[in-house]
Amino acid sequence: MIGENPSGLTRRRVLGGGLAIAGAVAATSLLDAGGAQAAAPAPGAALRTAGAAYPTRMVRAAQTLVYPQSWSVRPFPLTSVTLGQSVFTRALNQHLVLYRAYSVDKVLAVFRRNAGLPTNGATPPGGWEEFGPNPDLQRWGPREYVRGQNTAGAGGCLRGHYGGHFLSGISMAYASTGEVALLNKVNAIVDGLEECRAALAAQEYQGAPRYSHPGFLSAYGEWQFSALEEFAPYGEIWAPYYTLHKILAGLLDAHALAGSTKALALAEGIGHWVYSRLSKCTSAQLARMWGSYIAGEYGGMNEVLVELYWRSNDAAKSEFLDAAHLFTLHTLVDACAAGTDTLNGKHANQHIPQFPGYIKLAAQTGDDHFLDASKGFYDMVVPGRSYAHGGTGEGELWGPANTVAGDIGPRNAESCAAYNMLKVASYLFFNEQDPKYMDYFERTVLNHILGGRRNQESTSGPENLYMFPVQPGARKEYGNGNIGTCCGGTGLESHVKYQEGIYFRSADQSELYVNLYIASTLEWEETGLVLEQVSSYPEGETSTLTVKTAPSGPLTVHLRIPGWSSGAEVQVNGAPAGVDAVPGTYARISRAWAAGDTITVRIPLTVRVEAAIDRPDIQALMYGPVVLTATSSSTSYLKVSLADRLDLSGDVTRGISKTAANVFTIGSQSYEPAYNGRDVAYHMYFQRNEPSVTFAGQDAGVANPKRSNKTLLDEVWERAPFADRSAFLGAVGEVSAAYVAAGLLTARNRQRILLAAGRAPIDGGN
């Protein structure tokens, strides 16, 4: 593919490199509603408390949510699900403090400056959301700009993206809470954007409109788009359609969640403008543009244009769907559909956001080629390029297929990539209810997304990390909270929509999918069901779902049994439900429900290891769905022996202790959950080191032999769980005999191994 950056240049290096330049600009002062500058206050009780709110039914009635007919399963509105107390609550509450405090004038500053309007004294948020070194010149229209004219670099060339994310996030926050003040901010931002667009449309250059279409809306001039059509590289421009996607997505969220018809009208204008530009481009031109490293990064433009087509009643709305097609990167789509892996060396988050758009194009057009490509793409990333916490990529780029340990480097797992992979997984699930998609969703939203929100209140920024690295002695890239960066932008959304994946419903309203065991209440308006889930998961094993108000008819409930689990139990009204709770499936209960009925799901939580797909000795420690990170600043892999701590299930049970909040001690090493948002040095992976063959404290006195990159102990424990002690001893016998036959173990040493296994209290715990 053209321009896939063999040099490894990233978005950050062009601007000077490193966290200190790209995201760690000092937090700017907060502004009051009138624009007067004031010091950022410490979050107080007023900001932690919800203000006046509209009733849920009123909030829901104003929403416009559309789903394609082909999706057999669909999400619930954010308004329909309320979070209870859980590990997610702290991030949600901390984020609501930000939204209650933040000034609309700061969000609009870059748009107003570009449109020639007063900024009311406001400065931009900071970071990449800045005025930049050349804000007045960068109002250029396409007729003004000549290639190479921008000599000031990429600084300021992404401005507007963060405001789009902010509009999405505050619309989500309003949908979740109904708070009047949040709705007022949504409407104020939309009003401000409408004023800016009118000012842009009125500008002239040489006696004619400065910009090519009255629907144009941006925080810089149209020149970046025309320069991209002439193949300007990243550095002269940044990623103009990426920024536009965020603005368009924010407007669509304001329409969908806050009922803003004005936002829809603005979005329609943008859609017509996009079509007016791209419809004049040749196929070869588009292919080169979208294959261009970062300059051609367009986020999810295809997704929002399909969404706009679904929402709009515009007489010319077919232009929106036509424009969505024009963002197709055919070489990538065709390769993924054919199962040909071409991802090595590609910029991960340049390409991941395209696939939700392809899935929606498949839904609209019936072209399964897009859906096949999306499924093929997902399987190329999960699990073969996914770290333990669900993240992907090193230095923003993908490495070779089926390489995890071999791709651990200093800057792994961009937060934006995880945000967008969650979309891919859930959209695929809406088409095909494969539990693997929601297993990935759970792992990633719990560890990467929640863990990506620093456990700290702020009134100036999202406190969201950029990279969630996985190398030994890593620190999360929190910087200044990533104000203004791409990951700060997605972080503005992620922490106010945790409820989006807990429950799904069938298109015919007859089936409920319980995907995540998170304390919450579901109000299913169409059926009348009110369902309360009480759970301390993943710190406790049991979740109880109580029917508060019965649905109007029979209902089938699908309960996700995680693929990593063992021994899950399901009860209805205190008695066994009589369903198969098979790992990696959904347990299915069909019946007429009455108020007071309960479903109890117990998923045993145990400590286990997960080996990297390419190196069995590089492993992560898991507690159920939770990634446990070792607190250590060492920059070399910790060498950890666990074989003599395992029980018949293959779980770590000997010499291990657990305290509150899922903090564990194994030997002298402390481990804590990746989701806790602490800013400390940690190890997500360790190196398994079993120098001798040992079972439950019984050392055979024999060096642990190795073949095909696995040791004898690896091969024994691969067969776990064992039904009983006899099965365990049988496995030890078979594996050790194979090593003798291969000339890797003497018969005498095999006898020592068998004796140690026989003496081991393997069926005991601590």
Side-chain angles (χ1 to χ4, degrees), residues 68 71 84 138 149 217 302 317 432 470 506 545 564 636 699 725:
W71 283 2
Q138 287 174 350
Q149 190 172 345
L217 175 61
N302 51 358
K317 75 173 192 173
E432 180 181 322
V470 300
S506 64
L545 298 101
W564 49 261
S636 299
D699 193 337
R725 183 181 183 83

Side-chain angles (χ1 to χ4, degrees), residues 106-172:
K106 288 186 72 66
V107 176
L108 291 172
V110 292
F111 293 95
R112 287 173 170 160
R113 175 74 180 270
N114 181 64
L117 299 174
T119 64
N120 297 335
T123 55
W128 300 350
E129 190 78 352
E130 58 177 330
F131 287 141
N134 237 348
D136 297 319
L137 287 178
Q138 287 174 350
R139 295 171 181 163
W140 294 308
R143 292 181 296 117
E144 295 171 77
Y145 188 78
V146 178
R147 274 294 317 279
Q149 190 172 345
N150 177 37
T151 59
C157 287
L158 208 70
R159 60 181 181 262
H161 79 113
Y162 193 75
H165 280 299
F166 192 95
L167 183 54
S168 285
I170 202 165
S171 298
M172 294 170 186

